[in-house]
Structure formats: C-alpha cells, structure tokens
Amino acid sequence: MNEFEDLLNSVSQVEPGDVVTAEVLTVDATQANVAISGTGVEGVLTLRELTNDRDADINDFVKPGETLELLVLRQVVGKDTDTVTYLVSKKRLEARKAWDKLVGREEEVVTVKGTRAVKGGLSVEFEGLRGFIPASMLDTRFVRNTERFVGQEFDAKIKEVDPKENRFILSRRDVVEAETAAARAEVFGKLNVGDVVTGKVARITSFGAFIDLGGVDGLVHLTELSHERNVSPKSVVTVGEEIEVKVLDLNEEEGRVSLSLKATTPGPWDGVEQKLAAGDVIEGTVKRLTDFGAFVEVLPGIDGLVHISQISHKRVENPKDALKAGQEVTVKVLEVNPANERVSLSIKALEERPDQEEGQEVKEEKRQSRPRRPKRQEKRDFELPETQTGFSMADLFGDIEL
C-alpha cells in the first residue's frame, strides 16, 4: 500500500486538463501507448481521441517515436497491476485550440468539411471542432438532401460561437449569396443587349431553360427556344449542355437576363424566296383551324393561311366543316410576303369549278350587266296651275239645286 501511495505521489504533477508532451511508444489496432515527458508515467491515446472518423486507420494518425502534444483527460489505475496511466486526447486539445481561435470571429469566412448529415442540417468539422449548418443555411434554395455535402470541403461564414454551450453555427448560404452578388455584378458589367454569349444549361422547367452565364442564370423562355411552335424544352436542350444564346434584355436590379436560343439559329423565313413562289403547288399539313381559315405548314416552321374563301368553290360556313388538324392537303401558293412572314394559299384554285357554280356566275354577270331602271319619283302634293285659281263657289256648285 505504501508503494502504491509513493507511485501516486511521483506522478502528482500530472492533472486532468493539463497539456503535455508525449512520445508514442507502441501502436495497435485501436490505441497508442505514449510516455508523458518529464513524468515517468504513460498515457493511452485511443482512436476515438484522435479523430471523429471511427472507420479510420490509427496508423494514418500516429507512428512510434512520434512526439505529440496532448490533453490529459483523467487518471486510470489498473485493477490487476495497480499501475497508473492517463487517458489523453489529441482531438480535444485541437478542439480547445479551435474554440480559442473562434472566439470573436463571427461573420468571418472559414473552410469546413462536411462530416455527417444530421436532422435539420449538416455536421461539419473545422480544425478538429464540430460545427453545425442548418439546412436553411446550406444554399440559397432549401436543401432536402444534405448527404451530397458529406466529405466535401467548402467555405462557410461563422454565425455563432459559444464555447460554454459547445455551440458553433455556420452558414454556407451567406457565402454563396456574396459570391453570386459579385459574379452578378461582373456579368452585368460585361453583357449588353444583342450580345451572343456561351452558357451552360443549368436546369430545365416547363416554361423554358435557365442558362448559367458564369454566376448568373439567364432564362431562355419556351417561345425563344426554337423556331418551331409548341416544343418541349427537354426536346431542345439538356442539362449540362453548352449553347450559344443571344441577350434580349437585362435587368440588373432584379438580376434577370432574358436570352434567346432561336435568335442564334437560322430561321425558317431566311431565304424563303428561294423555297416558295406564287404559283407553286405543294403539299402541306393542316396545323390549326380558325373562324377565318386554316393554317397549313408548307415548310418546317412556315405556316401559310388558306382563307375561308379559298377552301372550296362551295360556300363554307366554318373551316372545321371542310378540314381537320393533321390533314394532308395540296395547296397553291398565291402570295409570299417574307417581310411580314405571311404566305397566302388556296385549295379551291386546284379544284375544278362545278357547273352549277358556272351557271350561277353567268346569271349573276347578266343580272349585273342589265341597265338599271331610273328610280321612280316620289309623289308630290298636287298643285293647281295659277290660271285655274279664283273659282267661286257658284262656279263649282251652280248646277246643284238647293
């Protein structure tokens, strides 16, 4: 018993909480044995007190003969041998130093590494210290799957530091927003309406595609994706594809850029004079019907109008009575107007005029050729001539006996 007390007194200079220097003596699968310098006692450094990664190989962190700075956690007395050792930690010493470094550094940007997806956000590590980024602070858009950040290193802004409560909160969103603002200012400083620029398709929606222009996303609206009508954005572009687009409009205040893909590609009306001319007879497809006629696609992206009066020699009350969408028809080109992007077509010009129609037209022409009769003069009140004025009552009724 006296020998045990002497042993305890000989190591009284080592206390929990002390920072000591120790030499690694041996390393096995789960721990390393170290000799604490200047004390004559040994310590145990477990894998758990080296790293938060429980699947790590301890040999990647310590090697025999290596000198380490460690934090003394507590004293351990062997049950069988009555030997005194100390549990020491490298991880916690680094964490203490990290806390000291963090105090007063709120709003500073540091580099962290995602370690584990946890409820409500992401656990990260900074110089051995565990921090937390709420899901709402991971990106400018809410992130549901935080797993994709695990194992990644990225910048985050320190929002709250409280060593007593072991509270360390960061925000990646603040960094992303600052980077986006800087990139936006740079992009808007370079762009001009009418410029043709290269961008990468970032995402596709039902109303168009967003193009990354190097920090700013511009929108190619559905109507600006293709010269063809009613196309699906996914049939025109794919995510990750690099494309050339034309700048249509810039709004720096709202951070909006309007782009056009079809403006960078030849349009269907370019050189249409060499493809179509008045008098041509061509095949087409009825695309849509209106009250005043039918639009027939005669070339890719070019629809010509068959006016209701040009559908048939017979009277047509409604184009739907004579035609239907998707129907193949043969038409004659009446006029091509590239300036206004209009083509006038006729179906009846290719059909033989019915005999009845001819007879009716002859009668109509004869009727119109007859000389018009002069209009009858309107009846006026009868007036007696001046020579017949001045009759007396006796002159009028002289033969009548009273």
Side-chain angles (χ1 to χ4, degrees):
M1 190 66 184
N2 292 333
E3 291 178 358
F4 181 66
E5 289 180 357
D6 293 339
L7 181 60
L8 289 177
N9 292 332
S10 67
V11 296
S12 60
Q13 69 227 48
V14 179
E15 298 288 344
D18 287 351
V19 176
V20 298
T21 302
E23 181 183 352
V24 179
L25 300 176
T26 60
V27 179
D28 59 27
T30 60
Q31 68 181 37
N33 294 320
V34 299
I36 300 176
S37 303
T39 64
V41 295
E42 295 183 0
V44 176
L45 177 61
T46 63
L47 176 63
R48 186 173 182 178
E49 294 302 330
L50 273 169
T51 177
N52 291 323
D53 185 1
R54 297 184 180 181
D55 297 325
D57 184 351
I58 193 171
N59 293 287
D60 294 335
F61 295 89
V62 291
K63 293 178 175 54
E66 184 179 3
T67 301
L68 303 173
E69 191 176 32
L70 304 170
L71 176 67
V72 178
L73 299 181
R74 64 178 183 273
Q75 188 183 80
V76 179
V77 179
K79 293 182 178 179
D80 299 330
T81 60
D82 292 331
T83 57
V84 177
T85 58
Y86 288 85
L87 181 63
V88 292
S89 174
K90 184 173 184 292
K91 180 182 73 174
R92 300 194 194 193
L93 178 61
E94 291 174 347
R96 177 191 287 185
K97 291 180 178 180
W99 277 115
D100 293 339
K101 290 180 181 179
L102 286 176
V103 174
R105 294 177 64 181
E106 285 82 356
E107 299 304 311
E108 186 177 328
V109 176
V110 295
T111 301
V112 298
K113 182 177 181 179
T115 56
R116 188 160 57 99
V118 296
K119 183 178 180 180
L122 179 73
S123 180
V124 297
E125 184 176 328
F126 171 67
E127 296 185 2
L129 185 66
R130 182 177 297 175
F132 176 68
I133 301 180
S136 60
M137 293 186 180
L138 271 170
D139 209 338
T140 52
R141 298 179 183 85
F142 183 76
V143 177
R144 294 188 181 278
N145 181 21
T146 58
E147 288 281 354
R148 64 187 181 93
F149 291 98
V150 175
Q152 290 189 20
E153 287 191 351
F154 52 84
D155 289 342
K157 181 179 285 189
I158 299 172
K159 303 302 293 182
E160 186 177 351
V161 177
D162 188 346
K164 293 182 179 179
E165 297 294 331
N166 201 30
R167 187 176 177 85
F168 180 28
I169 308 297
L170 304 100
S171 171
R172 178 179 175 271
R173 184 187 64 193
D174 285 10
V175 175
V176 173
E177 287 177 343
E179 290 175 348
T180 301
R184 179 185 300 172
E186 183 178 355
V187 170
F188 277 99
K190 295 178 180 178
L191 288 182
N192 295 291
V193 173
D195 287 351
V196 176
V197 296
T198 301
K200 184 178 290 186
V201 180
R203 60 188 188 280
I204 299 174
T205 68
S206 59
F207 55 85
F210 285 92
I211 313 301
D212 183 3
L213 301 176
V216 174
D217 286 354
L219 172 65
V220 179
H221 191 266
L222 178 64
T223 56
E224 293 295 333
L225 278 170
S226 173
H227 292 287
E228 297 181 27
R229 296 185 179 92
N230 302 322
V231 296
S232 167
K234 292 183 179 179
S235 67
V236 181
V237 295
T238 56
V239 174
E241 178 185 3
E242 284 196 351
I243 59 174
E244 281 193 342
V245 288
K246 185 176 183 178
V247 179
L248 300 181
D249 187 47
L250 297 169
N251 188 331
E252 188 170 359
E253 277 188 26
E254 298 182 5
R256 293 181 181 176
V257 182
S258 298
L259 305 170
S260 174
L261 176 60
K262 74 177 184 180
T264 63
T265 59
W269 290 91
D270 295 341
V272 71
E273 301 93 334
Q274 284 75 45
K275 304 173 186 176
L276 284 178
D280 289 350
V281 176
I282 53 178
E283 299 293 325
T285 304
V286 178
K287 286 297 184 180
R288 61 189 189 282
L289 299 167
T290 67
D291 294 338
F292 55 85
F295 285 93
V296 177
E297 185 180 49
V298 291
L299 289 173
I302 295 183
D303 293 350
L305 173 64
V306 179
H307 191 267
I308 190 171
S309 63
Q310 293 295 326
I311 293 177
S312 174
H313 290 288
K314 297 179 181 180
R315 182 178 179 81
V316 177
E317 296 291 342
N318 191 315
K320 294 180 180 179
D321 298 335
L323 301 169
K324 60 182 180 180
Q327 180 179 347
E328 299 293 328
V329 293
T330 303
V331 293
K332 182 176 182 179
V333 179
L334 300 180
E335 182 187 8
V336 179
N337 188 336
N340 295 320
E341 296 187 353
R342 292 178 182 175
V343 175
S344 298
L345 306 171
S346 176
I347 295 176
K348 80 173 187 180
L350 300 175
E351 298 176 349
E352 186 177 352
R353 191 189 308 273
D355 294 339
Q356 186 179 1
E357 290 285 336
E358 291 180 359
Q360 287 182 353
E361 286 201 1
V362 171
K363 289 180 181 179
E364 180 65 21
E365 289 178 2
K366 287 182 177 180
R367 188 183 67 79
Q368 292 181 357
S369 63
R370 292 175 184 172
R372 294 183 179 180
R373 295 179 180 179
K375 293 183 179 180
R376 295 182 179 180
Q377 295 182 353
E378 296 180 359
K379 294 183 179 180
R380 294 182 297 177
D381 293 339
F382 180 76
E383 295 181 4
L384 294 173
E386 294 182 1
T387 56
Q388 294 181 351
T389 59
F391 290 102
S392 65
M393 294 297 291
D395 294 329
L396 293 174
F397 307 106
D399 296 335
I400 300 174
E401 294 183 0
L402 301 175

